[in-house]
């Protein structure tokens, strides 16, 4: 594999590791039924139609994103992302599909997604936040998706909603929260996801009351899980990383958000020079300060939304010297004052409260 | 789109006739001296012949085989033959004893025009019949961007425009929101292709059971919406039951020939004083409620 030696720092945009016959082939198959030409869909991806049948062919995140870009341009139906998502999970990707398909309960399914993210959702990383009362699955851009980001959110949310409905034997009461405004095709969100939708709500996340996490699911087979888990571990070991460079750094910042490392320290810990880290982040359409702001913003949101913190408590937690300073920063991250944001997330939370 | 293959024989026949005319002219006549050739005439008549060929290509490309297509192509071919002989006359001098060239020029044109007219008349009739069939799928105006790629129905955008129009009517219109509640599981069980086909066939089934003036659209995914005007609550309820029964009795055949049964849940929502968007939202909520009640019944 190209760039294999760098993998302890997380996979990057140009690392070829996504099997062509998994997600990319599914996407192509979906539009092929509509008479779309393979050659046009594969333009600038560096791929040939035969590669999709070759089980050893691998795609980089950049090539996968290019494929998504081409297909969305050739086939501009907004339903595509949702339909694509419905077919994604558990999928037929070998061990990881067996592992996910045999989850004994929701919590196990979510752990599988998070632990083996590169194998099952390489472009969008899930972060699971358990707060006691609620569980939040937040989706984060792992490779600089740019304009394809919304498509990825639509497909992964549709995928998780659909697979958990199937595995649990009935629809689960997810509440959906989006960072972007309501698109002009709300019908697909309503039908594929559900009626609890909150747009312009700062993050892309799916929420559910925590007591659904451990309700037993009918399909789980312990033996199948044990065997497939071992294979997944081996596959991930061969890949050499648990997630992407960008997501790994984001998680590291979240972990130490009260005393975040500087760019130099972060680079040193990754075994890179500051200039190299800078260049690599730029290649993924982001930079260090942007990631730090994102990590702080999300931490502040989670504290406000799930832990009932008020603005002053959040400011103190994030070690801001004074409230004015915090409010200014918060406004910069979210475009809102903390209290306006509080009201916004409260609406989503009331929908979550059991009837 | 109907490709070249379907109409291959028509093109072949026309090519043969055109070559035959060329051969006949070449064999019986002599080339005119350059000085006598009027280039403007050649350009005019040749251009006309070429345009007729383009019309023919466009027409054949957008039509299936059949009587109307045959009439239209015969008509256009006649006109083409007349122009083609015109072009020949400009460059080849035929002996005065020969009259068939005159017949080709003056005969093919009116016969072609007549056939074309006849074809257009039947095309008009055919269009009326198609419009009649499309009635429940599109009302009042046509907008091809709103057509669904999956089913022969329109999409939510088209419905939204019609909700606004319908809510201005004297009798309050009703909206039926319908869904196959088990579709997601069915799709996994049947496979992607059969799943899509199931949606298409259910769409046809719903169309067959609706009234002539009702508008049916695929709202999104496995959810359909029907807009009913001039109907009272009692009739609407009956209609909803009929749709449920029709879907429940429908024995869908999978690709392997296995029978698969589906259920339909229906919610009826009346237009209120609110906006079309709010009306749609109420309708979706009502459907959620119906689905929840059904799930509770199944569990009990």
């Amino acid at each position: 594999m190209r760039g294999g030696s760098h993998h302890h720092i997380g996979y990057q945009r140009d690392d070829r590791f996504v099997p062509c016959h998994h997600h990319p082939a599914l996407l192509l198959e979906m539009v092929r039924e509509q008479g779309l030409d393979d050659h046009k869909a594969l333009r600038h991806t560096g791929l040939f139609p035969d590669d999709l049948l070759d089980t050893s062919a691998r795609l980089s995140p950049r090539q996968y994103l290019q494929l998504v870009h081409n297909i969305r341009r050739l086939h501009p139906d907004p339903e595509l992302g949702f339909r694509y998502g419905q077919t994604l999970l558990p999928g037929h990707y070998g061990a990881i599909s067996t592992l996910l398909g045999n989850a004994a309960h929701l919590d196990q399914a979510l752990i599988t997604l998070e632990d083996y993210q590169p194998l099952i959702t390489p472009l969008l990383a899930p972060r699971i936040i358990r707060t006691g009362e609620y569980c939040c699955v937040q989706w984060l851009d792992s490779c600089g998706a740019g304009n394809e980001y919304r498509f990825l959110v639509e497909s992964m949310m549709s995928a998780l909603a659909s697979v958990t409905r199937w595995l649990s034997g009935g629809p689960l009461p997810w509440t959906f929260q989006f960072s972007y405004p309501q698109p002009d095709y709300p019908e697909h969100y309503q039908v594929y996801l559900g009626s609890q939708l909150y747009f312009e709500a700062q993050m892309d996340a799916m929420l559910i009351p925590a007591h659904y996490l451990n309700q037993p699911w009918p399909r789980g087979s312990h033996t199948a899980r044990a065997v497939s888990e071992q294979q997944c571990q081996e596959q991930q070991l061969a890949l050499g990383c648990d997630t992407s460079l960008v997501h790994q750094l984001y998680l590291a910042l979240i972990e130490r958000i009260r005393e975040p490392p500087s760019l130099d320290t972060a680079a040193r810990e990754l075994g890179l020079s500051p200039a190299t880290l800078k260049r690599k982040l730029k290649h993924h359409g982001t930079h260090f300060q942007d990631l730090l702001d994102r990590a702080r913003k999300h931490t502040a949101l989670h504290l406000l939304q799930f832990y009932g913190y008020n603005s002053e408590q959040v400011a103190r937690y994030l070690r801001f010297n004074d409230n004015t300073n915090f409010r200014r920063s918060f406004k910069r991250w979210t475009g809102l004052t903390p209290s306006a944001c509080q009201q916004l997330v409260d609406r989503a939370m009331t929908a979550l409260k059991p009837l | 789109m109907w490709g070249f293959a379907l109409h291959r024989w028509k093109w072949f026949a026309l090519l043969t006739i055109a070559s035959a005319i060329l051969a006949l002219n070449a064999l019986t006549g002599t080339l005119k001296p350059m000085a006598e050739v009027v280039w403007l005439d050649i350009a005019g008549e040749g251009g006309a012949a070429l345009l007729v060929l383009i019309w023919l290509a466009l027409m054949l490309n957008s039509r299936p085989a059949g009587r109307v297509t045959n009439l239209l192509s015969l008509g256009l071919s006649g006109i083409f033959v007349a122009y083609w002989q015109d072009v020949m006359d400009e460059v080849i001098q035929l002996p005065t004893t020969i009259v068939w060239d005159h017949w080709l020029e003056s005969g093919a044109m009116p016969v072609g025009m007549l056939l074309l007219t006849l074809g257009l008349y039947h095309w008009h009739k055919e269009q009326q019949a198609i419009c009649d069939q499309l009635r429940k799928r599109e009302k009042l105006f046509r907008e091809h961007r709103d057509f669904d790629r999956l089913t022969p129905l329109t999409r939510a955008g088209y419905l939204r425009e019609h909700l606004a129009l319908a809510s201005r009517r004297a009798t309050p219109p009703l909206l039926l929101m319908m869904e196959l509640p088990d579709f997601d599981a069915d799709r996994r069980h049947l496979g992607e292709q059969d799943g899509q086909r199931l949606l298409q066939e259910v769409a046809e089934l719903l169309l067959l059971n609706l009234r002539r003036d009702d508008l049916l659209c695929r709202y999104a995914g496995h959810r359909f919406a029907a807009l009913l005007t001039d109907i009272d609550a009692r009739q609407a309820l009956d209609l909803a039951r009929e749709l449920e029964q029709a879907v429940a009795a429908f024995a869908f055949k999978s690709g392997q020939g296995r029978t698969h049964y589906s259920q339909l849940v229906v919610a009826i929502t009346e237009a209120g004083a609110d906006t079309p968007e709010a009306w749609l939202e109420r309708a979706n909520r009502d459907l959620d409620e119906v689905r929840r009640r059904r799930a509770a019944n199944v569990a009990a």
Side-chain angles (χ1 to χ4, degrees):
Chain A
M1 178 183 308
R2 223 160 50 135
S5 59
H6 298 300
H7 263 170
H8 59 281
I9 65 163
Y11 63 80
Q12 298 166 55
R13 255 176 103 78
D14 286 316
D15 292 334
R16 296 182 75 144
F17 71 94
V18 183
C20 288
H21 63 292
H22 291 177
H23 294 195
L26 270 178
L27 181 58
L28 208 56
E29 203 175 301
M30 184 141 277
V31 286
R32 215 182 263 156
E33 287 161 21
Q34 319 268 347
L36 191 72
D37 182 9
D38 274 5
H39 291 277
K40 280 188 186 162
L42 294 175
R43 195 174 285 168
H44 305 306
T45 61
L47 284 177
F48 298 98
D50 286 346
D51 291 339
L52 295 158
L53 300 172
D54 179 359
T55 51
S56 65
R58 295 290 182 272
L59 227 68
S60 68
R62 189 188 57 73
Q63 289 172 306
Y64 183 7
L65 283 167
Q66 179 71 47
L67 181 69
V68 171
H69 171 84
N70 291 351
I71 284 178
R72 281 199 333 129
R73 200 171 42 82
L74 294 164
H75 186 91
D77 182 359
E79 192 170 11
L80 184 67
F82 298 91
R83 280 187 54 214
Y84 173 53
Q86 264 195 335
T87 63
L88 275 180
L89 300 179
H92 304 282
Y93 321 127
I96 183 69
S97 296
T98 313
L99 187 62
L100 183 60
N102 281 287
H105 43 67
L106 178 61
D107 203 27
Q108 231 169 41
L110 296 179
I111 290 170
T112 302
L113 276 187
E114 202 175 28
D115 284 358
Y116 301 105
Q117 177 255 319
L119 304 182
I120 194 129
T121 164
L123 297 184
L124 215 56
R127 185 177 158 226
I128 322 289
I129 301 130
R130 297 173 187 79
T131 67
E133 230 178 315
Y134 310 106
C135 173
C136 164
V137 183
Q138 190 182 357
W139 293 99
L140 294 143
D141 185 6
S142 73
C143 286
N147 289 334
E148 318 314 327
Y149 177 69
R150 199 168 74 182
F151 176 90
L152 297 179
V153 169
E154 289 167 351
S155 54
M156 285 322 295
M157 285 197 181
S158 163
L160 186 57
S162 172
V163 76
T164 53
R165 183 185 311 136
W166 180 60
L167 291 173
S168 68
L172 293 180
W174 292 106
T175 291
F176 298 84
Q177 198 173 323
F178 304 93
S179 57
Y180 46 84
Q182 178 179 301
D184 55 6
Y185 46 89
E187 60 272 12
H188 300 304
Y189 282 83
Q190 291 160 356
V191 174
Y192 286 88
L193 302 182
S195 48
Q196 297 301 338
L197 306 165
Y198 297 88
F199 291 96
E200 289 180 283
Q202 303 299 336
M203 60 174 176
D204 299 291
M206 301 165 66
L207 319 172
I208 198 163
H211 64 89
Y212 282 93
L213 284 174
N214 293 307
Q215 282 182 3
W217 284 357
R219 280 169 218 270
S221 150
H222 184 72
T223 321
R225 271 194 74 80
V227 174
S228 53
E229 175 124 43
Q230 202 178 346
Q231 289 171 344
C232 288
Q233 276 165 0
E234 283 161 16
Q235 286 173 21
Q236 200 129 299
L237 209 63
L239 184 66
C241 62
D242 305 332
T243 187
S244 74
L245 169 68
V246 171
H247 193 58
Q248 190 171 314
L249 186 54
Y250 167 84
L251 290 178
L253 291 173
I254 286 264
E255 211 166 286
R256 289 185 283 169
I257 199 66
R258 307 185 71 183
E259 283 172 75
S262 65
L263 170 69
D264 290 3
T265 318
R268 190 166 357 98
E269 283 167 7
L270 287 165
L272 300 170
S273 73
T276 309
L277 180 60
K278 247 185 188 163
R279 186 170 46 75
K280 283 187 187 297
L281 291 178
K282 192 175 174 205
H283 188 51
H284 290 81
T286 184
H287 50 86
F288 189 77
Q289 188 60 41
D290 181 42
L291 275 181
L292 181 58
D293 281 349
R294 223 190 293 174
R296 278 178 158 156
K297 166 183 161 176
H298 291 154
T299 306
L301 275 170
H302 296 157
L303 292 173
L304 282 174
Q305 187 167 354
F306 304 127
Y307 294 93
Y309 276 40
N310 62 31
S311 162
E312 287 75 32
Q313 288 168 311
V314 176
R316 216 172 312 136
Y317 182 87
L318 289 177
R319 306 228 164 131
F320 274 85
N321 293 328
D322 63 297
N323 279 334
T324 334
N325 208 347
F326 170 67
R327 292 163 71 89
R328 200 179 305 125
S329 294
F330 194 86
K331 187 101 196 242
R332 183 162 59 83
W333 305 331
T334 64
L336 294 170
T337 61
S339 52
C341 191
Q342 177 93 58
Q343 280 174 5
L344 193 118
V345 294
D346 277 354
R347 274 195 307 131
M349 293 314 282
T350 30
L352 261 181
K353 295 253 164 31
L355 297 169
Chain B
M1 204 70 347
W2 287 272
F4 177 75
L6 184 66
H7 302 293
R8 194 185 299 149
W9 290 107
K10 296 193 182 74
W11 286 113
F12 187 68
L14 190 61
L15 187 72
T16 316
I17 293 170
S19 330
I21 292 172
L22 181 68
L24 267 176
N25 277 283
L27 286 174
T28 48
T30 47
L31 267 179
K32 282 185 180 175
M34 273 305 203
E36 271 182 49
V37 174
V38 186
W39 291 103
L40 189 65
D41 284 359
I42 294 183
E45 282 149 14
L50 193 70
L51 281 180
V52 175
L53 274 188
I54 292 173
W55 298 346
L56 187 65
L58 287 175
M59 189 275 292
L60 287 180
N61 238 313
S62 56
R63 290 198 51 89
R67 189 176 58 147
V68 176
T69 311
N70 288 344
L71 282 172
L72 291 175
S73 29
L74 275 176
L76 287 172
S77 303
I79 297 172
F80 169 76
V81 164
Y83 278 125
W84 184 239
Q85 180 56 43
D86 259 351
V87 178
M88 295 294 125
D89 280 348
E90 293 302 324
V91 284
I92 293 169
Q93 183 70 57
L94 291 175
T96 41
T97 48
I98 285 180
V99 287
W100 57 259
D101 66 312
H102 186 66
W103 277 105
L104 261 185
E105 266 186 61
S106 318
M109 182 61 84
V111 172
M113 291 232 174
L114 209 66
L115 287 171
L116 184 64
T117 311
L118 202 63
L120 284 173
Y121 172 74
H122 284 291
W123 170 73
H124 163 72
K125 287 273 162 205
E126 182 193 79
Q127 210 52 35
Q128 278 183 330
I130 291 173
C131 283
D132 225 36
Q133 279 202 344
L134 281 175
R135 245 184 122 80
K136 295 177 197 172
R137 306 166 196 196
E138 55 168 353
K139 284 186 148 186
L140 301 174
F141 54 94
R142 174 173 294 179
E143 176 53 70
H144 70 274
R145 284 171 309 175
D146 282 334
F147 275 107
D148 188 8
R149 284 166 185 257
L150 194 71
T151 62
L153 304 179
T154 49
R155 302 305 309 265
Y158 194 78
L159 177 72
R160 273 191 219 109
E161 283 168 34
H162 273 277
L163 291 181
L165 290 175
S167 49
R168 287 188 218 125
R169 294 173 76 108
T171 47
L174 295 170
L175 190 60
L176 293 191
M177 271 289 174
M178 299 168 272
E179 190 173 271
L180 302 174
D182 307 318
F183 181 75
D184 199 22
D186 292 347
R187 185 185 55 77
R188 289 177 185 274
H189 170 70
L190 289 166
E192 205 51 39
Q193 247 174 358
D194 278 348
Q196 298 304 314
R197 203 161 52 77
L198 173 63
L199 279 189
Q200 284 162 6
E201 295 185 9
V202 166
E204 293 289 347
L205 193 65
L206 296 176
L207 274 178
L208 288 172
N209 284 276
L210 283 168
R211 300 171 310 159
R212 218 174 112 82
D213 284 325
D214 300 335
L215 172 72
L216 180 68
C217 83
R218 186 164 74 91
Y219 184 68
H222 50 290
R223 193 175 295 181
F224 297 89
L227 179 60
L228 315 178
T229 44
D230 301 318
I231 194 165
D232 63 43
R234 179 78 242 155
Q235 288 171 305
L237 205 61
D238 287 344
L239 189 56
R241 292 296 91 80
E242 285 161 10
L243 293 171
E244 283 172 357
Q245 283 162 10
V247 171
F250 172 46
F252 174 76
K253 297 295 178 293
S254 74
Q256 282 97 39
R258 275 198 289 274
T259 302
H260 175 89
Y261 287 100
S262 307
Q263 295 287 322
L264 185 77
V265 289
V266 186
I268 308 173
T269 310
E270 209 175 291
D274 45 8
T275 61
E277 278 304 322
W279 183 13
L280 257 181
E281 217 177 291
R282 270 193 296 128
N284 279 313
R285 266 206 309 274
D286 289 350
L287 183 64
D288 284 345
E289 189 49 41
V290 172
R291 206 190 319 101
R292 242 195 310 276
R293 274 207 303 272
R294 174 182 174 274
N297 280 345
V298 170

